Structure formats: C-alpha cells, structure tokens
Amino acid sequence: MNEVEEGDLVARIEGGAGVIRLNRPKAINAVTLEMFRDIETALDRFESDPTVAVILLEGAGERGLCAGGDIRTLWESSKAGGDLGKILWREEYILNARIKKFPKPYVAFMDGIVMGGGVGLSAHASHRVVTDRTKLAMPEVGLGFFPDVGGTYLLSRSPGEIGTFFGLTGQTMNGPDAIHARFADWVVPAAKLPELREALTKVRAGATATDISKLINGFATGETAGPVAAKEPVIDALFGFDRMEDILAALKRDGSDFALATLKTLNEKSPRGMVVTLKLLRLARTASSLEECLVREYRAALEVFRSDDFREGVRAAVIDKDRNPTWSPPRIEDVTPEMLEPYFAEIGADELKFNQ
C-alpha cells in the first residue's frame, strides 16, 4: 500500500485502485481550494501509473461524500473584496471537466449527502454509485447562486423538466431519483459498499469501463426511479417555460398541494438567482459540451461573487443561520434584463480555458 496523507485529502494506491478520499468528516467533507489541488495532483499520479486500473472517490465518515464547497471562506473573501472565487472556481471547473474526460474508469461512491462541489467531483465520473442513504442536491439558488460545477449541463440533460425542477427548488434527490435525473448510474445498498470497494481494489491494469460496469452491476439493486420521477408529467407541465414569471403563474393556477408546496419553496429563493439559473439551464440544452457550460457558469459565478445576494444568502444559511435572507431585488418582476447582462457577458482575459 502506497499512501500519501495531505491533511484534508487522502490519496493512496490500494491494489489496482487509485483511491481519493475526502477527509474532513466533521465538515461533511466540504471541499477547499487546497483539496481541489491535491485531487489534481492525485489524478496526475494515478493517470501515469500503469498499475492503477481504476479511480475510486469516497468520503470519510458516515454522513456523506461531500456537502459542497467551503462556502464560509468564499463568503469571507467576497465580503473583503478578495479574489478567492475567481481562483477556486477556475481550478474547480477545470477539474470537473478533467474528471469527465479521465482516461481510466472513475468510480464515485455518492453515499449520504452529496451537494454542490461534491456533485462536481462525482456526477461527471464514468461510474456513479448512489446508495439507499444518498441525499443529492444542488441547493445553490437558496444562496443567491446557481447550480454550478457543470450542474447546468447535468440538469439540462435530465428527462423533461426534472432538471429545471431540481435546479430551481434545490429539492433533494434520493438514489433512484438521482439515476432518473441522470446524475448517477447504479443504486448499491450502503451495506454492500465495503464489499464493492474491496472488489474494485482487485481490478488489474487493462480493465475496461465495461469490466467495471459488470463488476458494479453485481452489487446493484436495479432501481432507476424514485418519488420525484413519479411526478414527472406534472413537473413537465409546470416547469416547461422559459420565464420564471410563467412557472410561478402555472404553479398558482394548478393549486395542488404539490404545486403550492413548490411555490412556497421558490418564494424563499433568490429571485435573481432563479432567473439566472433558468436562463443558464435553457442555454445549456443546446450546449455541445460540458466545457461550454462551465465557461458560461464561470462568467456568471464571478458576477455572483460580487453580488449582495450571494453574501446575504450565505449569511442567512451558514453564518447567522436565521434562514431569513433579504434578497435584492425582492421580487421576480423586479429582476431586469440590465441586471442579468453582466452574468452572461464575455470576460476577456479572465475567460475559463481548458488544456486540450
């Protein structure tokens, strides 16, 4: 066993597996800039090592793979007029794109809580395993933000309007719904993960993606749709619009318990965040690649980082925890085209670029 421990990240070779373990269990493995850099270093090593047949991403502790990025530190930098957002999101998004194109099978154990930045590290993997404990969400709109880390790419490729629903509401997916939404591939009972993990470490060099799929299939339940999937026809009718005003009007008209509960949820979110999210999701539908979506997300993220809404959303959810943000502007109808323009404008020398 060849082990490197770098505090918040453990990277080691176990048999034929290059294991990457997010190692901040007390913070549900929230990812820092240093951890993204350590993952890049680990992937460099595992890609060039001929004995490594498969990558395995896992989270330390019992609570989840990853609760997202280190939001508190980003908030502090935003308040101080710093540039952490510009640096962190650039490196994170480049890593997200690398994971999608990684030349060796990359298996993500999406057990427990998987949110935000944790989705970026796992849902672009070639082999995505959820469990009976998975709680996957992209809740960024509640922070005055939008589903980033390629979230707009993933959500726009969910069936029907399921992705629009999850992106705007921040609703949690269970394992089977994550498969239905195309964020994951297999449900494996959490109790079987140690056995699957051991089997993955016994895989030898030259194993193909198909070999890994067959191995995981032997542990999977075969579930492919959860409770939200059952509501897809209703969700398609209510969220099939390109303007937030029309979605809210449809929910009011419908008047069902589901529609009213959804309306209540949306009324708690950042109006500007919802409008930006919906536009990004619609643009993502015609995107030819994950990279194209990440470039657009990076432009919008830099604008979010400068915004009062982001600082206020994080304050209410993470800092003061009063769950009572004061959004700017406070109503959907007050979000003007002029307000939106900077989120979608080209940013010159700061544009996100990928190594081809």
Short mmCIF file of all heavy atoms in Angstrom, two decimals, residues 231-286:
data_model
loop_
_atom_site.label_atom_id
_atom_site.label_comp_id
_atom_site.label_asym_id
_atom_site.label_seq_id
_atom_site.Cartn_x
_atom_site.Cartn_y
_atom_site.Cartn_z
N LYS A 231 -43.69 12.08 -10.42
CA LYS A 231 -44.39 13.35 -10.65
C LYS A 231 -43.97 14.01 -11.96
O LYS A 231 -44.32 15.17 -12.22
CB LYS A 231 -44.12 14.32 -9.49
CG LYS A 231 -44.75 13.90 -8.16
CD LYS A 231 -44.60 15.01 -7.13
CE LYS A 231 -45.46 14.76 -5.91
NZ LYS A 231 -45.05 13.59 -5.14
N GLU A 232 -43.22 13.31 -12.77
CA GLU A 232 -42.65 13.95 -13.96
C GLU A 232 -43.70 14.60 -14.89
O GLU A 232 -43.48 15.73 -15.35
CB GLU A 232 -41.80 12.96 -14.75
CG GLU A 232 -40.97 13.67 -15.82
CD GLU A 232 -40.04 12.72 -16.56
OE1 GLU A 232 -39.42 11.88 -15.91
OE2 GLU A 232 -39.97 12.85 -17.78
N PRO A 233 -44.85 13.97 -15.18
CA PRO A 233 -45.81 14.64 -16.06
C PRO A 233 -46.28 15.99 -15.50
O PRO A 233 -46.42 16.96 -16.24
CB PRO A 233 -46.98 13.63 -16.14
CG PRO A 233 -46.36 12.31 -15.82
CD PRO A 233 -45.28 12.60 -14.82
N VAL A 234 -46.49 16.05 -14.18
CA VAL A 234 -46.91 17.30 -13.54
C VAL A 234 -45.79 18.32 -13.60
O VAL A 234 -46.00 19.49 -13.94
CB VAL A 234 -47.32 17.04 -12.07
CG1 VAL A 234 -47.69 18.34 -11.37
CG2 VAL A 234 -48.47 16.05 -12.00
N ILE A 235 -44.58 17.88 -13.28
CA ILE A 235 -43.42 18.78 -13.31
C ILE A 235 -43.19 19.32 -14.72
O ILE A 235 -42.92 20.51 -14.91
CB ILE A 235 -42.17 18.04 -12.77
CG1 ILE A 235 -42.29 17.86 -11.25
CG2 ILE A 235 -40.89 18.81 -13.11
CD1 ILE A 235 -41.25 16.96 -10.64
N ASP A 236 -43.33 18.46 -15.73
CA ASP A 236 -43.15 18.91 -17.11
C ASP A 236 -44.14 20.03 -17.46
O ASP A 236 -43.78 21.01 -18.12
CB ASP A 236 -43.34 17.74 -18.08
CG ASP A 236 -42.16 16.78 -18.06
OD1 ASP A 236 -41.16 17.07 -17.38
OD2 ASP A 236 -42.24 15.74 -18.73
N ALA A 237 -45.37 19.89 -17.02
CA ALA A 237 -46.40 20.89 -17.33
C ALA A 237 -46.14 22.21 -16.60
O ALA A 237 -46.38 23.29 -17.14
CB ALA A 237 -47.78 20.34 -16.96
N LEU A 238 -45.64 22.13 -15.37
CA LEU A 238 -45.48 23.33 -14.54
C LEU A 238 -44.16 24.07 -14.80
O LEU A 238 -44.09 25.28 -14.60
CB LEU A 238 -45.56 22.95 -13.06
CG LEU A 238 -46.91 22.39 -12.58
CD1 LEU A 238 -46.80 21.88 -11.15
CD2 LEU A 238 -47.99 23.46 -12.68
N PHE A 239 -43.13 23.34 -15.24
CA PHE A 239 -41.81 23.95 -15.38
C PHE A 239 -41.37 24.09 -16.84
O PHE A 239 -40.22 24.45 -17.10
CB PHE A 239 -40.77 23.14 -14.59
CG PHE A 239 -40.81 23.39 -13.10
CD1 PHE A 239 -41.74 22.73 -12.30
CD2 PHE A 239 -39.96 24.29 -12.51
CE1 PHE A 239 -41.80 22.98 -10.93
CE2 PHE A 239 -40.00 24.54 -11.15
CZ PHE A 239 -40.93 23.88 -10.36
N GLY A 240 -42.26 23.86 -17.76
CA GLY A 240 -41.91 23.92 -19.18
C GLY A 240 -41.97 25.32 -19.76
O GLY A 240 -42.49 25.52 -20.86
N PHE A 241 -41.46 26.30 -19.06
CA PHE A 241 -41.47 27.70 -19.51
C PHE A 241 -40.07 28.27 -19.43
O PHE A 241 -39.22 27.78 -18.68
CB PHE A 241 -42.43 28.54 -18.63
CG PHE A 241 -43.84 28.02 -18.60
CD1 PHE A 241 -44.27 27.16 -17.59
CD2 PHE A 241 -44.74 28.37 -19.59
CE1 PHE A 241 -45.56 26.67 -17.56
CE2 PHE A 241 -46.05 27.89 -19.58
CZ PHE A 241 -46.46 27.04 -18.56
N ASP A 242 -39.85 29.34 -20.19
CA ASP A 242 -38.53 29.97 -20.21
C ASP A 242 -38.46 31.23 -19.35
O ASP A 242 -37.42 31.88 -19.29
CB ASP A 242 -38.15 30.32 -21.66
CG ASP A 242 -38.00 29.08 -22.52
OD1 ASP A 242 -37.78 27.99 -21.96
OD2 ASP A 242 -38.10 29.20 -23.76
N ARG A 243 -39.56 31.59 -18.72
CA ARG A 243 -39.59 32.77 -17.84
C ARG A 243 -40.06 32.34 -16.45
O ARG A 243 -41.03 31.59 -16.32
CB ARG A 243 -40.55 33.84 -18.37
CG ARG A 243 -40.13 34.44 -19.70
CD ARG A 243 -41.22 35.31 -20.31
NE ARG A 243 -41.45 36.53 -19.51
CZ ARG A 243 -42.58 36.81 -18.87
NH1 ARG A 243 -43.59 35.95 -18.85
NH2 ARG A 243 -42.70 37.96 -18.21
N MET A 244 -39.39 32.82 -15.41
CA MET A 244 -39.78 32.46 -14.04
C MET A 244 -41.21 32.89 -13.75
O MET A 244 -41.95 32.19 -13.07
CB MET A 244 -38.84 33.12 -13.03
CG MET A 244 -37.57 32.35 -12.73
SD MET A 244 -37.78 30.59 -12.28
CE MET A 244 -38.91 30.66 -10.91
N GLU A 245 -41.62 34.05 -14.28
CA GLU A 245 -42.99 34.52 -14.03
C GLU A 245 -44.01 33.49 -14.49
O GLU A 245 -45.04 33.29 -13.84
CB GLU A 245 -43.24 35.86 -14.76
CG GLU A 245 -42.42 37.02 -14.22
CD GLU A 245 -41.11 37.21 -14.93
OE1 GLU A 245 -40.54 36.22 -15.45
OE2 GLU A 245 -40.64 38.37 -14.96
N ASP A 246 -43.72 32.84 -15.64
CA ASP A 246 -44.67 31.86 -16.19
C ASP A 246 -44.70 30.58 -15.34
O ASP A 246 -45.75 29.96 -15.19
CB ASP A 246 -44.30 31.54 -17.64
CG ASP A 246 -44.44 32.75 -18.55
OD1 ASP A 246 -45.25 33.65 -18.22
OD2 ASP A 246 -43.74 32.81 -19.57
N ILE A 247 -43.55 30.18 -14.82
CA ILE A 247 -43.51 29.00 -13.95
C ILE A 247 -44.31 29.27 -12.67
O ILE A 247 -45.14 28.45 -12.24
CB ILE A 247 -42.05 28.61 -13.61
CG1 ILE A 247 -41.36 28.08 -14.87
CG2 ILE A 247 -42.01 27.58 -12.48
CD1 ILE A 247 -39.88 27.80 -14.70
N LEU A 248 -44.09 30.45 -12.06
CA LEU A 248 -44.81 30.79 -10.82
C LEU A 248 -46.31 30.89 -11.08
O LEU A 248 -47.12 30.42 -10.27
CB LEU A 248 -44.28 32.11 -10.26
CG LEU A 248 -42.80 32.09 -9.81
CD1 LEU A 248 -42.35 33.49 -9.41
CD2 LEU A 248 -42.56 31.10 -8.69
N ALA A 249 -46.69 31.45 -12.23
CA ALA A 249 -48.11 31.57 -12.57
C ALA A 249 -48.73 30.19 -12.76
O ALA A 249 -49.88 29.94 -12.32
CB ALA A 249 -48.28 32.41 -13.84
N ALA A 250 -48.00 29.28 -13.39
CA ALA A 250 -48.51 27.92 -13.60
C ALA A 250 -48.72 27.19 -12.27
O ALA A 250 -49.71 26.47 -12.08
CB ALA A 250 -47.54 27.14 -14.49
N LEU A 251 -47.79 27.39 -11.33
CA LEU A 251 -47.91 26.76 -10.01
C LEU A 251 -49.14 27.31 -9.28
O LEU A 251 -49.89 26.55 -8.65
CB LEU A 251 -46.64 27.01 -9.19
CG LEU A 251 -45.39 26.25 -9.66
CD1 LEU A 251 -44.14 26.84 -9.06
CD2 LEU A 251 -45.50 24.76 -9.32
N LYS A 252 -49.35 28.63 -9.37
CA LYS A 252 -50.53 29.23 -8.72
C LYS A 252 -51.82 28.70 -9.33
O LYS A 252 -52.77 28.38 -8.61
CB LYS A 252 -50.47 30.76 -8.84
CG LYS A 252 -49.49 31.43 -7.91
CD LYS A 252 -49.40 32.93 -8.20
CE LYS A 252 -48.24 33.56 -7.44
NZ LYS A 252 -47.90 34.90 -7.93
N ARG A 253 -51.85 28.63 -10.65
CA ARG A 253 -53.05 28.14 -11.35
C ARG A 253 -53.35 26.70 -10.98
O ARG A 253 -54.50 26.32 -10.79
CB ARG A 253 -52.85 28.21 -12.87
CG ARG A 253 -53.22 29.52 -13.50
CD ARG A 253 -53.40 29.37 -15.00
NE ARG A 253 -52.31 28.66 -15.66
CZ ARG A 253 -51.18 29.24 -16.09
NH1 ARG A 253 -51.00 30.54 -15.92
NH2 ARG A 253 -50.25 28.53 -16.68
N ASP A 254 -52.31 25.89 -10.88
CA ASP A 254 -52.51 24.46 -10.60
C ASP A 254 -53.16 24.26 -9.24
O ASP A 254 -54.13 23.50 -9.11
CB ASP A 254 -51.16 23.74 -10.67
CG ASP A 254 -51.27 22.24 -10.45
OD1 ASP A 254 -51.26 21.82 -9.27
OD2 ASP A 254 -51.38 21.49 -11.44
N GLY A 255 -52.61 24.91 -8.21
CA GLY A 255 -53.23 24.93 -6.90
C GLY A 255 -53.22 23.62 -6.12
O GLY A 255 -53.77 23.55 -5.02
N SER A 256 -52.57 22.57 -6.66
CA SER A 256 -52.49 21.30 -5.93
C SER A 256 -51.54 21.45 -4.74
O SER A 256 -50.78 22.43 -4.65
CB SER A 256 -51.97 20.19 -6.85
OG SER A 256 -50.64 20.48 -7.25
N ASP A 257 -51.60 20.50 -3.83
CA ASP A 257 -50.69 20.53 -2.67
C ASP A 257 -49.24 20.58 -3.13
O ASP A 257 -48.42 21.32 -2.58
CB ASP A 257 -50.92 19.31 -1.77
CG ASP A 257 -52.23 19.38 -1.02
OD1 ASP A 257 -52.86 20.47 -1.02
OD2 ASP A 257 -52.64 18.37 -0.44
N PHE A 258 -48.93 19.78 -4.15
CA PHE A 258 -47.56 19.74 -4.67
C PHE A 258 -47.17 21.11 -5.23
O PHE A 258 -46.09 21.63 -4.95
CB PHE A 258 -47.43 18.66 -5.75
CG PHE A 258 -46.12 18.70 -6.48
CD1 PHE A 258 -44.96 18.25 -5.87
CD2 PHE A 258 -46.04 19.20 -7.79
CE1 PHE A 258 -43.73 18.30 -6.54
CE2 PHE A 258 -44.83 19.25 -8.46
CZ PHE A 258 -43.67 18.79 -7.84
N ALA A 259 -48.05 21.70 -6.04
CA ALA A 259 -47.76 23.00 -6.66
C ALA A 259 -47.60 24.09 -5.62
O ALA A 259 -46.68 24.92 -5.71
CB ALA A 259 -48.86 23.37 -7.65
N LEU A 260 -48.45 24.09 -4.61
CA LEU A 260 -48.38 25.14 -3.58
C LEU A 260 -47.14 24.99 -2.72
O LEU A 260 -46.52 25.98 -2.32
CB LEU A 260 -49.65 25.13 -2.73
CG LEU A 260 -50.93 25.54 -3.49
CD1 LEU A 260 -52.15 25.42 -2.58
CD2 LEU A 260 -50.81 26.96 -4.05
N ALA A 261 -46.78 23.72 -2.41
CA ALA A 261 -45.56 23.48 -1.64
C ALA A 261 -44.33 23.92 -2.44
O ALA A 261 -43.38 24.51 -1.89
CB ALA A 261 -45.45 22.01 -1.27
N THR A 262 -44.35 23.65 -3.74
CA THR A 262 -43.25 24.06 -4.62
C THR A 262 -43.17 25.58 -4.71
O THR A 262 -42.07 26.17 -4.66
CB THR A 262 -43.42 23.44 -6.01
OG1 THR A 262 -43.50 22.01 -5.90
CG2 THR A 262 -42.28 23.81 -6.93
N LEU A 263 -44.32 26.21 -4.81
CA LEU A 263 -44.38 27.68 -4.87
C LEU A 263 -43.79 28.29 -3.60
O LEU A 263 -43.01 29.26 -3.66
CB LEU A 263 -45.83 28.12 -5.05
CG LEU A 263 -46.09 29.58 -5.40
CD1 LEU A 263 -45.43 29.96 -6.72
CD2 LEU A 263 -47.60 29.84 -5.47
N LYS A 264 -44.13 27.71 -2.46
CA LYS A 264 -43.60 28.19 -1.17
C LYS A 264 -42.07 28.07 -1.17
O LYS A 264 -41.36 29.00 -0.73
CB LYS A 264 -44.20 27.39 -0.02
CG LYS A 264 -43.75 27.84 1.37
CD LYS A 264 -44.48 27.05 2.46
CE LYS A 264 -44.10 27.55 3.86
NZ LYS A 264 -42.68 27.29 4.18
N THR A 265 -41.55 26.97 -1.66
CA THR A 265 -40.10 26.77 -1.73
C THR A 265 -39.46 27.82 -2.62
O THR A 265 -38.45 28.44 -2.25
CB THR A 265 -39.79 25.36 -2.29
OG1 THR A 265 -40.30 24.38 -1.37
CG2 THR A 265 -38.30 25.14 -2.45
N LEU A 266 -40.03 28.05 -3.79
CA LEU A 266 -39.45 29.02 -4.73
C LEU A 266 -39.50 30.44 -4.17
O LEU A 266 -38.59 31.24 -4.41
CB LEU A 266 -40.17 28.96 -6.08
CG LEU A 266 -39.98 27.67 -6.87
CD1 LEU A 266 -40.81 27.71 -8.15
CD2 LEU A 266 -38.51 27.42 -7.19
N ASN A 267 -40.54 30.75 -3.41
CA ASN A 267 -40.67 32.09 -2.84
C ASN A 267 -39.60 32.39 -1.80
O ASN A 267 -39.40 33.54 -1.42
CB ASN A 267 -42.07 32.28 -2.25
CG ASN A 267 -43.12 32.53 -3.33
OD1 ASN A 267 -42.78 33.00 -4.42
ND2 ASN A 267 -44.36 32.20 -3.05
N GLU A 268 -38.90 31.35 -1.34
CA GLU A 268 -37.82 31.53 -0.35
C GLU A 268 -36.47 31.75 -1.03
O GLU A 268 -35.50 32.14 -0.39
CB GLU A 268 -37.74 30.30 0.56
CG GLU A 268 -38.98 30.11 1.43
CD GLU A 268 -39.03 28.73 2.07
OE1 GLU A 268 -38.12 27.90 1.77
OE2 GLU A 268 -39.96 28.46 2.84
N LYS A 269 -36.41 31.49 -2.34
CA LYS A 269 -35.13 31.56 -3.07
C LYS A 269 -34.85 32.98 -3.56
O LYS A 269 -35.73 33.83 -3.61
CB LYS A 269 -35.15 30.60 -4.26
CG LYS A 269 -35.56 29.17 -3.94
CD LYS A 269 -34.63 28.49 -2.98
CE LYS A 269 -35.05 27.04 -2.73
NZ LYS A 269 -34.32 26.44 -1.61
N SER A 270 -33.61 33.18 -3.97
CA SER A 270 -33.20 34.46 -4.54
C SER A 270 -33.87 34.66 -5.89
O SER A 270 -33.66 33.85 -6.81
CB SER A 270 -31.68 34.48 -4.73
OG SER A 270 -31.29 35.45 -5.69
N PRO A 271 -34.69 35.72 -6.07
CA PRO A 271 -35.31 35.97 -7.37
C PRO A 271 -34.27 36.07 -8.49
O PRO A 271 -34.43 35.48 -9.56
CB PRO A 271 -36.06 37.29 -7.17
CG PRO A 271 -36.39 37.30 -5.70
CD PRO A 271 -35.19 36.68 -5.04
N ARG A 272 -33.20 36.82 -8.24
CA ARG A 272 -32.17 36.96 -9.26
C ARG A 272 -31.51 35.61 -9.54
O ARG A 272 -31.25 35.27 -10.69
CB ARG A 272 -31.13 37.99 -8.83
CG ARG A 272 -30.24 38.43 -9.97
CD ARG A 272 -29.09 39.31 -9.52
NE ARG A 272 -29.44 40.35 -8.57
CZ ARG A 272 -28.73 41.45 -8.39
NH1 ARG A 272 -27.66 41.66 -9.14
NH2 ARG A 272 -29.07 42.34 -7.49
N GLY A 273 -31.24 34.86 -8.46
CA GLY A 273 -30.64 33.53 -8.61
C GLY A 273 -31.50 32.61 -9.46
O GLY A 273 -30.99 31.85 -10.30
N MET A 274 -32.82 32.67 -9.28
CA MET A 274 -33.71 31.81 -10.05
C MET A 274 -33.72 32.20 -11.52
O MET A 274 -33.69 31.33 -12.40
CB MET A 274 -35.14 31.86 -9.48
CG MET A 274 -35.30 31.10 -8.19
SD MET A 274 -37.03 30.91 -7.68
CE MET A 274 -37.43 32.58 -7.15
N VAL A 275 -33.76 33.49 -11.80
CA VAL A 275 -33.80 33.95 -13.19
C VAL A 275 -32.49 33.58 -13.90
O VAL A 275 -32.50 33.10 -15.04
CB VAL A 275 -34.08 35.47 -13.27
CG1 VAL A 275 -33.99 35.96 -14.70
CG2 VAL A 275 -35.46 35.78 -12.70
N VAL A 276 -31.36 33.80 -13.23
CA VAL A 276 -30.06 33.43 -13.80
C VAL A 276 -30.00 31.92 -14.04
O VAL A 276 -29.57 31.45 -15.10
CB VAL A 276 -28.90 33.90 -12.89
CG1 VAL A 276 -27.57 33.29 -13.33
CG2 VAL A 276 -28.81 35.42 -12.87
N THR A 277 -30.45 31.15 -13.05
CA THR A 277 -30.44 29.68 -13.17
C THR A 277 -31.27 29.21 -14.35
O THR A 277 -30.81 28.38 -15.15
CB THR A 277 -30.96 29.04 -11.86
OG1 THR A 277 -30.05 29.32 -10.80
CG2 THR A 277 -31.10 27.53 -12.00
N LEU A 278 -32.48 29.72 -14.48
CA LEU A 278 -33.36 29.28 -15.56
C LEU A 278 -32.73 29.60 -16.92
O LEU A 278 -32.75 28.76 -17.83
CB LEU A 278 -34.74 29.92 -15.43
CG LEU A 278 -35.78 29.46 -16.45
CD1 LEU A 278 -36.01 27.95 -16.36
CD2 LEU A 278 -37.10 30.20 -16.24
N LYS A 279 -32.15 30.77 -17.05
CA LYS A 279 -31.52 31.13 -18.33
C LYS A 279 -30.32 30.23 -18.62
O LYS A 279 -30.13 29.76 -19.75
CB LYS A 279 -31.10 32.61 -18.33
CG LYS A 279 -30.53 33.05 -19.67
CD LYS A 279 -30.37 34.55 -19.78
CE LYS A 279 -29.86 34.92 -21.17
NZ LYS A 279 -29.70 36.37 -21.34
N LEU A 280 -29.50 29.96 -17.61
CA LEU A 280 -28.36 29.06 -17.79
C LEU A 280 -28.81 27.66 -18.18
O LEU A 280 -28.19 27.01 -19.03
CB LEU A 280 -27.51 29.01 -16.51
CG LEU A 280 -26.64 30.21 -16.21
CD1 LEU A 280 -26.08 30.14 -14.79
CD2 LEU A 280 -25.49 30.33 -17.22
N LEU A 281 -29.89 27.17 -17.56
CA LEU A 281 -30.41 25.84 -17.88
C LEU A 281 -30.90 25.78 -19.32
O LEU A 281 -30.67 24.79 -20.03
CB LEU A 281 -31.54 25.46 -16.93
CG LEU A 281 -31.13 25.15 -15.48
CD1 LEU A 281 -32.36 24.94 -14.62
CD2 LEU A 281 -30.22 23.92 -15.42
N ARG A 282 -31.58 26.81 -19.76
CA ARG A 282 -32.09 26.81 -21.13
C ARG A 282 -30.94 26.91 -22.15
O ARG A 282 -30.95 26.23 -23.17
CB ARG A 282 -33.09 27.96 -21.33
CG ARG A 282 -34.38 27.81 -20.51
CD ARG A 282 -35.10 26.51 -20.82
NE ARG A 282 -36.35 26.36 -20.10
CZ ARG A 282 -36.58 25.45 -19.17
NH1 ARG A 282 -35.62 24.60 -18.82
NH2 ARG A 282 -37.77 25.35 -18.58
N LEU A 283 -29.94 27.73 -21.86
CA LEU A 283 -28.78 27.82 -22.74
C LEU A 283 -28.02 26.49 -22.79
O LEU A 283 -27.50 26.09 -23.84
CB LEU A 283 -27.84 28.93 -22.28
CG LEU A 283 -28.34 30.36 -22.51
CD1 LEU A 283 -27.47 31.35 -21.74
CD2 LEU A 283 -28.36 30.71 -23.99
N ALA A 284 -27.98 25.79 -21.65
CA ALA A 284 -27.24 24.53 -21.56
C ALA A 284 -27.85 23.44 -22.44
O ALA A 284 -27.16 22.51 -22.87
CB ALA A 284 -27.17 24.05 -20.11
N ARG A 285 -29.14 23.54 -22.72
CA ARG A 285 -29.80 22.49 -23.52
C ARG A 285 -29.20 22.37 -24.92
O ARG A 285 -29.21 21.29 -25.50
CB ARG A 285 -31.30 22.79 -23.63
CG ARG A 285 -32.05 22.42 -22.38
CD ARG A 285 -33.54 22.57 -22.53
NE ARG A 285 -34.20 21.95 -21.39
CZ ARG A 285 -35.48 22.09 -21.09
NH1 ARG A 285 -36.27 22.84 -21.86
NH2 ARG A 285 -36.01 21.49 -20.05
N THR A 286 -28.68 23.47 -25.43
CA THR A 286 -28.11 23.42 -26.78
C THR A 286 -26.58 23.41 -26.76
O THR A 286 -25.95 23.50 -27.81
CB THR A 286 -28.60 24.63 -27.62
OG1 THR A 286 -28.26 25.84 -26.92
CG2 THR A 286 -30.11 24.57 -27.80
#
